[in-house]
Amino acid sequence: MGKLSKEERPKFGQLVNKKKQELEKAYSSKEDELKSEELNEQIKKEKLDLSLPGPKRLHGARHPIDRVINEISDIMKGIGYSVRLGPLIEKDRNNFEALNIPADHPSRDEQDTFYIDETHVLRTQTSPIQIRTMENEKPPLRIIAPGSVFRCDNDISHSPNFYQIECLMVDKKVSMADLKGTISYFVQRFFAKGLKTRFRPSYFPFTEPSAEVDCQCPICKGKGCGMCKQSGWIEIGGSGLVNPIVFEHAGLDPKKWQGFAFGFGVERMAIVKYGISDIRLFNENDIRFLSQFN
Ligand code: DAH
């Protein structure tokens, strides 16, 4: 432009602008054309099948322990029992003293019990919920109490933290026959119809008389197998009639009231019902194990 005369310059400028606009228009229309060709090509190539299943989502599920607690609770609720809970840190008095467990009993040793301080322990059993319920509610009582318990134990078959479920029934004229009838009903609902239940004489400070409870092995139906160590029977827990001393500690008149109680290990129930080989599986959070209970 520098070489042009003064008169020629504006004309030339106008011409350049006109050409520039023409070129820009041509570029952008070509661009639009190419873009729409590309889109058409893409639509032809890609097919979207809306009937295909979407990506699979992982679902959470109840832990087998929780599941077994719910199953047991549902069966017992069906015959008039309701659920009570208690604290994990329990008064020494409720965990031992009121349950007639004497000061020199081995379970009161520091080797067996986690002490919080002089008067509090991590509860070693769910039985203290018996005391709490009898002290706070008027009989007749029909309660079950599931929960976590703690003991200084750690080997292949013992975990320092495991679960129990307690049952307490208080009424007038309660006998061992009521206890056995209730457990027998429960076992047949929980494991399988027709399974027999048996009592073996035993000792617990808080029941008198006391009995160990066995049921016919649900895996082999009593024939003998690996689960029941060829005996045909599986031990599921302890039981008995509430000791009058316990009634006295809990403020109930033992001349007026009678009752039965039993306590089962929840892991044990799950192991037997679902044929689980190792108690440690419950705490490992291995999704391959847990997802089998979905
Ligand atoms: N609390 C006992 C334990 O941990 C189990 C037990 C036995 C509970 C007899 C009971 C019972 O209610 O009557 O070994």
Side-chain angles (χ1 to χ4, degrees):
M1 269 181 86
K3 286 179 191 154
L4 296 175
S5 71
K6 235 181 181 174
E7 296 77 41
E8 282 169 323
R9 244 179 251 164
K11 271 194 204 142
F12 186 73
Q14 269 175 11
L15 193 71
V16 168
N17 269 338
K18 205 174 148 213
K19 278 290 162 211
K20 187 181 153 208
Q21 277 167 13
E22 275 172 22
L23 283 172
E24 273 174 358
K25 224 171 152 187
Y27 271 131
S28 84
S29 81
K30 190 68 190 171
E31 193 181 11
D32 288 348
E33 193 185 308
L34 288 174
K35 269 190 186 157
S36 80
E37 254 174 45
E38 194 183 327
L39 187 66
N40 282 337
E41 203 58 31
Q42 207 177 354
I43 290 170
K44 258 190 255 160
K45 267 205 305 225
E46 286 176 14
K47 275 198 190 108
L48 179 63
D49 184 351
L50 291 174
S51 69
L52 283 176
K56 210 174 162 188
R57 283 191 191 209
L58 279 179
H59 282 272
R62 282 197 180 282
H63 191 278
I65 292 296
D66 202 35
R67 202 183 157 110
V68 165
I69 287 176
N70 283 343
E71 283 174 24
I72 297 174
S73 304
D74 283 347
I75 295 170
M76 296 306 287
K77 279 181 202 164
I79 50 171
Y81 286 74
S82 55
V83 175
R84 298 291 181 279
L85 302 173
L88 304 184
I89 295 176
E90 183 56 279
K91 287 182 191 139
D92 180 293
R93 187 252 170 201
N94 289 345
N95 195 82
F96 294 127
E97 202 77 35
L99 286 164
N100 193 36
I101 300 174
D104 58 357
H105 194 276
S107 70
R108 298 189 70 157
D109 201 291
E110 265 181 61
Q111 290 200 331
D112 297 291
T113 300
F114 293 107
Y115 280 85
I116 300 292
D117 59 31
E118 300 266 287
T119 52
H120 292 84
V121 299
L122 286 184
R123 70 177 181 203
T124 62
Q125 49 187 355
T126 43
S127 306
I129 304 170
Q130 290 189 30
I131 302 296
R132 289 180 171 269
T133 309
M134 286 192 276
E135 281 180 339
N136 292 311
E137 296 177 40
K138 278 209 181 92
L141 300 170
R142 279 163 179 72
I143 64 117
I144 46 161
S148 211
V149 301
F150 304 86
R151 292 181 196 176
C152 303
D153 246 346
N154 202 9
D155 59 42
I156 297 179
S157 50
H158 296 91
S159 159
N161 173 211
F162 56 101
Y163 288 80
Q164 289 188 332
I165 191 156
E166 193 82 13
C167 174
L168 173 71
M169 167 340 184
V170 176
D171 210 323
K172 289 172 178 162
K173 291 198 176 142
V174 179
S175 75
M176 287 296 274
D178 298 310
L179 172 61
K180 188 149 189 212
T182 304
I183 293 180
S184 167
Y185 170 79
F186 166 75
V187 160
Q188 296 193 61
R189 286 289 312 274
F190 184 76
F191 289 120
K193 232 182 151 149
L195 279 189
K196 287 200 174 114
T197 309
R198 75 177 183 191
F199 279 166
R200 278 178 294 113
S202 186
Y203 172 76
F204 299 102
F206 35 90
T207 44
E208 183 60 39
S210 303
E212 217 86 50
V213 184
D214 295 343
C215 75
Q216 263 182 332
C217 176
I219 308 278
C220 62
K221 307 272 183 278
K223 288 192 195 80
C225 69
M227 179 64 80
C228 59
K229 301 203 180 85
Q230 309 307 326
S231 72
W233 295 92
I234 298 265
E235 185 185 320
I236 54 175
S239 71
L241 295 188
V242 179
N243 191 326
I245 298 171
V246 173
F247 278 137
E248 269 168 20
H249 280 304
L252 293 183
D253 182 356
K255 289 201 187 75
K256 215 166 135 194
W257 297 106
Q258 295 179 315
F260 66 66
F262 58 83
F264 294 157
V266 176
E267 280 84 352
R268 181 106 182 107
M269 305 294 279
I271 282 172
V272 175
K273 179 156 184 176
Y274 295 111
I276 296 162
S277 58
D278 188 337
I279 195 167
R280 288 169 296 190
L281 285 166
F282 291 117
N283 291 327
E284 277 171 3
N285 274 341
D286 186 332
I287 210 149
R288 290 168 302 177
F289 170 69
L290 296 175
S291 62
Q292 293 176 51
F293 299 90
N294 256 341

